C-alpha cells in the first residue's frame, strides 16, 4: 500500500492521523511535521490523505472486533475529590 512513496509509512499515517483526530488544516499539519523535523508540503499531505483514507478505513473495519449480543450495564456512585459522582460501566459478554 505504501510502497514507492517518498515518505515512509509512519510519516504518512501520522499526517492522516493529525487530519482526522484533531481536524487540522493541511498547512497546520505541515507546521507540526516541521516541528518534528519532517519537511513535507501541505499539498503532499492532502494527496496522502485523499489516497490513503479509504484504504486505512477499510483495513480498520476488517480488524475491528465483533461485539457480543449481550451487554451488562453497571451503575454506581463513587466519591471523587469529595463529591459523589455516577460511574457507568458497560460490559459485553466477553
Amino acid at each position: 500500500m505504501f510502497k514507492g512513496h517518498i515518505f515512509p509509512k509512519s510519516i504518512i499515517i501520522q499526517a492522516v492521523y493529525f487530519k482526522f483526530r484533531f481536524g487540522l488544516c493541511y498547512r497546520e499539519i505541515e507546521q507540526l511535521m516541521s516541528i518534528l523535523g519532517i519537511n513535507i508540503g501541505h499539498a503532499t499531505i492532502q494527496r496522502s490523505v485523499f489516497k490513503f483514507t479509504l484504504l486505512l478505513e477499510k483495513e480498520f473495519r476488517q480488524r475491528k472486533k465483533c461485539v457480543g449480543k449481550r451487554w451488562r450495564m453497571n451503575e454506581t456512585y463513587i466519591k471523587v475529590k469529595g463529591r459523589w459522582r455516577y460511574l457507568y460501566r458497560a460490559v459485553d459478554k466477553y
Side-chain angles (χ1 to χ4, degrees):
M1 179 185 327
F2 296 96
K3 208 170 199 179
H5 292 278
I6 296 171
F7 295 99
K9 176 182 174 180
S10 60
I11 293 173
I12 294 171
I13 290 176
Q14 185 70 43
V16 174
Y17 174 76
F18 282 151
K19 176 64 180 166
F20 291 109
R21 174 62 177 93
F22 302 110
L24 301 172
C25 71
Y26 298 115
R27 292 186 189 271
E28 291 171 339
I29 297 171
E30 178 184 8
Q31 290 174 349
L32 280 174
M33 298 300 261
S34 67
I35 290 171
L36 296 173
I38 303 162
N39 293 326
I40 183 170
H42 65 278
T44 306
I45 295 169
Q46 181 185 21
R47 286 192 299 272
S48 297
V49 167
F50 287 157
K51 183 173 184 177
F52 294 111
T53 298
L54 294 176
L55 298 172
L56 289 172
E57 182 182 11
K58 181 181 174 186
E59 190 70 29
F60 291 147
R61 288 190 188 277
Q62 288 177 350
R63 293 178 185 212
K64 186 177 175 183
K65 291 183 179 178
C66 294
V67 179
K69 294 180 181 178
R70 299 167 91 190
W71 287 80
R72 290 198 167 89
M73 186 70 170
N74 190 2
E75 173 184 336
T76 187
Y77 273 110
I78 61 169
K79 205 173 214 181
V80 178
K81 294 185 179 180
R83 297 184 66 189
W84 287 99
R85 303 281 184 178
Y86 266 120
L87 174 67
Y88 294 101
R89 182 175 62 174
V91 181
D92 69 349
K93 181 178 169 182
Y94 301 107

